[in-house]
Amino acid sequence: MTQLTVPVITIDGPSGVGKGTLAQYLTGKTHFHLLDSGAIYRALAFGAVKNRLALDDVSGLVTLAESLPVEFVATSILYEGEDVTSKVRTEEVAGVASTVAVISEVRAALMARQKAFAVLPGLVADGRDMGTVVFQSADLKLYLTASAEIRAERRVNQLKNQGVSANIHKITRDIKERDERDLNRQTAPLKPADDAIIVDTSYLNIEDVCKKIDSLLWDRGLIK
Ligand code: DC
């Protein structure tokens, strides 16, 4: 029996660059499934803290990663059945996620779980290594970039809209620290795939980015 191939669109790039917004737009356009791989790493970080695991306890982290009790229901993230969506979206959890994500055994333990999202009618996968490692034969690979200062400003505005005050200097420092770890790790460092289309979102609003990508969807036969 011939297997139907599942179309995949990957979106990689650093924190706060607009991947999530673009991923939402693309799933709306294509009706594909969504993989927010960062949420898996964040759920692992949340679980590690909850279980008081040391962040260098490789075997403990791998055991947790192999049977991570996380589920995605609509836009909510459930951990052991509890809605932890806002708890895993904090800067602190992001920092722990980026720390445990450096460990190659942890990344390997999360691989099958991520690949399992690729089912018909297709997948939009958002993360750091979607196009370079997890879905190397994706039909369309996008890599978004923007300066750390602009990304920090966007994050502060997002927090303000949620009624949370934030210090721009601290957020910029946190973002740069995380970039540093994500870019320089040995396994699956953040970088564009050779065949990725690079979009600098620094001076584009999300509507402009989406418009730019619409024509690519047509060209690659991802929408009809
Ligand atoms: O996309 P995000 O900010 O939710 O991701 C949080 C951290 O998880 C990020 O700093 C690095 C890690 N991560 C990763 O290493 N690989 C991915 N595919 C996605 C996230």
Side-chain angles (χ1 to χ4, degrees):
M1 204 167 68
T2 49
Q3 257 191 328
L4 288 172
T5 52
V6 178
V8 176
I9 302 173
T10 59
I11 312 172
D12 288 305
S15 301
V17 77
K19 299 188 300 288
T21 313
L22 179 61
Q24 290 291 345
Y25 173 79
L26 290 177
T27 53
K29 272 251 139 152
T30 57
H31 305 290
F32 288 178
H33 300 281
L34 172 69
L35 165 61
D36 173 0
S37 61
I40 296 184
Y41 283 91
R42 283 170 187 261
L44 176 66
F46 178 81
V49 172
K50 186 172 177 185
N51 294 312
R52 298 179 201 281
L53 290 179
L55 301 186
D56 59 357
D57 174 0
V58 176
S59 73
L61 290 166
V62 165
T63 304
L64 179 61
E66 280 169 345
S67 53
L68 194 63
V70 67
E71 286 168 275
F72 298 96
V73 180
T75 55
S76 298
I77 304 168
L78 307 187
Y79 191 94
E80 291 173 334
E82 182 202 343
D83 188 340
V84 293
T85 315
S86 51
K87 288 186 187 164
V88 301
R89 292 272 169 234
T90 63
E91 295 300 303
E92 289 70 25
V93 169
V96 176
S98 150
T99 304
V100 296
V102 167
I103 305 168
S104 56
E105 293 89 337
V106 165
R107 304 195 72 82
L110 293 175
M111 184 65 89
R113 182 159 207 143
Q114 295 175 84
K115 283 188 185 282
F117 277 79
V119 289
L120 288 170
L123 179 69
V124 175
D126 149 357
R128 304 289 187 291
D129 60 343
M130 299 293 98
T132 49
V133 178
V134 184
F135 301 107
Q136 288 181 22
S137 52
D139 301 79
L140 174 61
K141 296 181 185 178
L142 303 168
Y143 186 90
L144 304 190
T145 169
S147 74
E149 286 71 17
I150 287 182
R151 288 183 282 128
E153 213 175 288
R154 288 181 189 158
R155 179 71 183 138
V156 168
N157 286 335
Q158 196 183 31
L159 289 168
K160 256 193 206 147
N161 289 338
Q162 293 165 7
V164 181
S165 69
N167 177 313
I168 182 83
H169 302 296
K170 178 168 183 336
I171 299 267
T172 311
R173 210 171 46 238
D174 287 352
I175 281 188
K176 285 186 172 168
E177 240 174 56
R178 231 180 309 148
D179 281 359
E180 187 79 6
R181 264 199 303 267
D182 295 350
L183 287 161
N184 295 320
R185 65 181 173 225
Q186 296 245 303
T187 310
L190 172 63
K191 62 169 188 198
D194 291 340
D195 50 349
I197 292 161
I198 299 176
V199 183
D200 188 336
T201 71
S202 300
Y203 303 104
L204 291 174
N205 61 33
I206 189 66
E207 287 78 24
D208 297 332
V209 175
C210 295
K211 248 189 252 152
K212 239 174 139 66
I213 285 155
D214 265 352
S215 58
L216 288 168
L217 295 178
W218 285 102
D219 292 350
R220 308 262 168 126
L222 292 161
I223 49 173
K224 290 181 188 87

